[in-house]
Amino acid sequence: MLAGLIDLPWWGYILVALGLTHVTIASVTIFLHRHQAHRALELHPIASHFFRAWLWLTTGMVTKEWAAVHRKHHAKCETADDPHSPQVLGIRKVLFQGAELYRAEAGNKETLARYGHGTPDDWLERHVYRHSIVGVSIMLIADLVLFGPLGLTIWAVQMMWIPIWAAGVVNGLGHYVGYRNFACSDAATNLVPWGILIGGEELHNNHHSFATSAKLSAKWYEFDIGWMYIRVLALLGLAKVRKVIPSPKFGEAKNVPDLDTLQAIITHRYDVMTRYVASLKRLCGDEIERLAATHGRNFNPRALRRWVLSGEDRNLAPDDRRALELALVDSAALSTIASMRRDLVAIWARSTASREQLLTQLHDWIARAEQSGIAQLQEFSFRLRQYTA
């Protein structure tokens, strides 16, 4: 009995720990994240109750708290109100204290009241799952009984897995380093194209661009293992997918874009912005080099390019901001690229404008692009007129 009910070779215990933590990762990404926080899929009560029970045993996290903190993160992303932004708080704090930041925000009653709607509030939730210490204690006893003293190590790994990978790595590195498929309004990145270790959550830029998508992979070379599990659950009748990332469609360029073109552009706005950035990146870089050689001005070329193409100026120091503003004064091309980017975003930004008014804005944008004298803008305006529903 001292060795536990199950006796395994050393590598067997490693496989057990990895298997148990992987079930936890799958429960977080499928149930807490995609189902509860974003309503990207529906779950059969059998699947839902399994995930709730497993998370109670292995994390002690309360569904309402997790969903509320995550929804606030999306609503206030990269601002002072974001619960865990490395762009605001610094990468070291989020990476190493991510769990503490989560717990602090989970205790905010205003956050729970505003963002915790629609989460389970049945008898089990009120009388069982909200007692987190009971769940993790049961898991500790089970690990000790099954694996003996090594069960304590397995349990410790289970308890640390989500705080390290989700609270630290995804929330920290996922907003700090990596690659970006879509030019979304925040700094979210994809860490690796193989979303396996954290159930697909590594594909964070894809998620922030299409938050209500049940599938986090967007490119052919990306693999979202959480999506694979969702497809299996769907085949078993235990899940129903509501939304996935839309794929843009293109047809013949319309001489005069209509309301269908407008709707396609709004639907695929992140694809539109990504193509805008890609088409003008080379020109922007050349113009910045010309400014540096002509004026010898001391500014950050990378920050300037990011500001002009993506509008990411939230963390600019006052001196850098002034230098970049002067650069726009010195370059008509950069000024045009920046202003056209702002006006393009305004077409799908939240406003009280009617669809007819937005269509007029689109017509005006295309006309100005074609008259700009910038070949890349003219080519992009042609591509814009090819979007179709």
Side-chain angles (χ1 to χ4, degrees), residues 21-99:
T21 53
H22 191 71
V23 176
T24 303
I25 284 290
S27 301
V28 170
T29 188
I30 296 172
F31 176 73
L32 286 179
H33 194 190
R34 309 186 205 200
H35 171 56
Q36 283 294 308
H38 295 293
R39 304 299 181 189
L41 72 152
E42 299 173 7
L43 285 176
H44 189 280
I46 292 176
S48 181
H49 280 290
F50 167 79
F51 289 134
R52 288 170 67 187
W54 184 261
L55 289 167
W56 176 62
L57 292 169
T58 59
T59 69
M61 295 188 300
V62 178
T63 302
K64 183 174 183 176
E65 294 175 357
W66 196 97
V69 172
H70 186 72
R71 289 169 180 169
K72 184 174 182 178
H73 163 62
H74 276 266
K76 306 294 184 180
C77 196
E78 320 292 24
T79 70
D81 293 324
D82 188 332
H84 42 65
S85 170
Q87 299 293 329
V88 177
L89 301 172
I91 184 61
R92 288 180 60 86
K93 186 172 184 65
V94 178
L95 188 60
F96 297 111
Q97 300 178 40

Side-chain angles (χ1 to χ4, degrees), residues 161-172:
W161 204 256
I162 294 300
I164 291 175
W165 287 104
V169 174
V170 173
N171 293 338

Side-chain angles (χ1 to χ4, degrees), residues 162-286:
I162 294 300
I164 291 175
W165 287 104
V169 174
V170 173
N171 293 338
L173 297 181
H175 282 266
Y176 200 75
V177 296
Y179 71 96
R180 287 165 63 86
N181 286 332
F182 303 101
C184 58
S185 58
D186 54 64
T189 62
N190 294 327
L191 298 178
V192 294
W194 313 287
I196 299 174
L197 283 176
I198 322 178
E201 297 296 325
E202 300 100 319
L203 301 169
H204 208 53
N205 171 254
N206 297 352
H207 169 61
H208 269 256
S209 300
F210 302 94
T212 58
S213 172
K215 181 182 180 183
L216 303 189
S217 56
K219 303 295 184 181
W220 67 267
Y221 50 81
E222 294 175 340
F223 176 65
D224 170 16
I225 198 170
W227 171 247
M228 184 185 76
Y229 296 147
I230 290 171
R231 295 298 297 151
V232 172
L233 290 173
L235 289 173
L236 296 174
L238 298 176
K240 181 179 180 181
V241 175
R242 299 179 65 182
K243 290 184 180 180
V244 294
I245 297 174
S247 298
K249 298 178 181 178
F250 300 94
E252 293 186 7
K254 296 179 180 178
N255 293 327
V256 180
D258 54 20
L259 288 173
D260 288 339
T261 308
L262 172 67
Q263 185 57 53
I265 289 172
I266 293 174
T267 299
H268 303 294
R269 56 193 178 275
Y270 293 117
D271 182 77
V272 170
M273 280 309 302
T274 300
R275 293 176 186 272
Y276 182 84
V277 170
S279 64
L280 292 159
K281 193 173 184 179
R282 178 65 179 272
L283 172 63
C284 191
D286 291 344

